[in-house]
Amino acid sequence: MSNRLNLEIREKYGIAYTIESNYTAFTDTGIFSIYFGTDAEKSEKAAKLVHKELKKLRDNQLGTLQLHQAKQKFIGQIALAEENRMSLIISMAKSLIDFNYVDTLPQLFDKINNVTASQLLDISNEIFDESKMITLLFEPKQ
């Protein structure tokens, strides 16, 4: 998601210094956030472009190649994070506390590879539902 936003808002339109997305999972819910830094006069346009990208995710199923690339990128990020021993210990501890179970890397990669474009579309429509989104804007005082 960060790459998609970066290409559209930072590279194509050049209206954000930085843009990133993040998901924090909890046992019963989670928080998906998008952060961007831009000039005050460009913030409204940047926010509209973010919402446009989220609408694309709600309306259009990922193609086979897009889905494959997203899965490979995600698997690569997990594999790199596992090289950091502290990250690995924290991840395993959270899984053990939350689910009383720790997936092996092959099990986790199998779960990722079994995700379908249809499942992602359903989830996108759930978590990017505009009626459930909140916008928080920080602007400098004049």
Side-chain angles (χ1 to χ4, degrees):
M1 184 68 199
S2 288
N3 190 43
R4 184 178 274 231
L5 292 169
N6 195 24
L7 286 173
E8 185 70 13
I9 293 150
R10 188 168 182 260
E11 300 297 325
K12 184 176 178 181
Y13 289 94
I15 60 172
Y17 306 114
T18 184
I19 186 160
E20 59 189 54
S21 62
N22 184 45
Y23 176 71
T24 304
F26 301 112
T27 56
D28 59 345
T29 188
I31 296 172
F32 183 88
S33 62
I34 297 172
Y35 162 83
F36 61 83
T38 189
D39 296 327
E41 64 273 4
K42 296 176 184 172
S43 63
E44 187 175 331
K45 182 173 182 174
K48 284 182 181 179
L49 289 169
V50 166
H51 284 277
K52 180 181 169 186
E53 285 304 305
L54 295 177
K55 183 173 179 2
K56 286 180 190 177
L57 291 173
R58 289 191 312 268
D59 294 346
N60 305 310
Q61 189 167 291
L62 289 180
T64 304
L65 181 60
Q66 288 177 312
L67 180 60
H68 175 74
Q69 289 173 334
K71 288 177 181 181
Q72 293 307 303
K73 184 176 181 181
F74 190 37
I75 287 170
Q77 290 171 336
I78 291 170
L80 283 174
E82 296 299 308
E83 290 180 6
N84 177 331
R85 288 291 164 207
M86 186 57 73
S87 172
L88 175 63
I89 292 167
I90 290 171
S91 174
M92 292 172 76
K94 285 176 70 175
S95 181
L96 196 57
I97 290 168
D98 292 344
F99 307 110
N100 201 30
Y101 182 77
V102 177
D103 283 321
T104 65
L105 280 181
Q107 289 170 323
L108 185 57
F109 295 163
D110 282 343
K111 287 180 180 181
I112 292 168
N113 282 319
N114 286 326
V115 171
T116 67
S118 177
Q119 289 171 321
L120 284 179
L121 186 63
D122 290 344
I123 291 168
S124 293
N125 277 287
E126 181 181 338
I127 65 172
F128 299 139
D129 179 345
E130 286 188 327
S131 69
K132 297 177 184 176
M133 287 194 273
I134 298 171
T135 300
L136 181 60
L137 181 65
F138 293 99
E139 292 182 333
K141 289 184 177 183
Q142 299 297 330

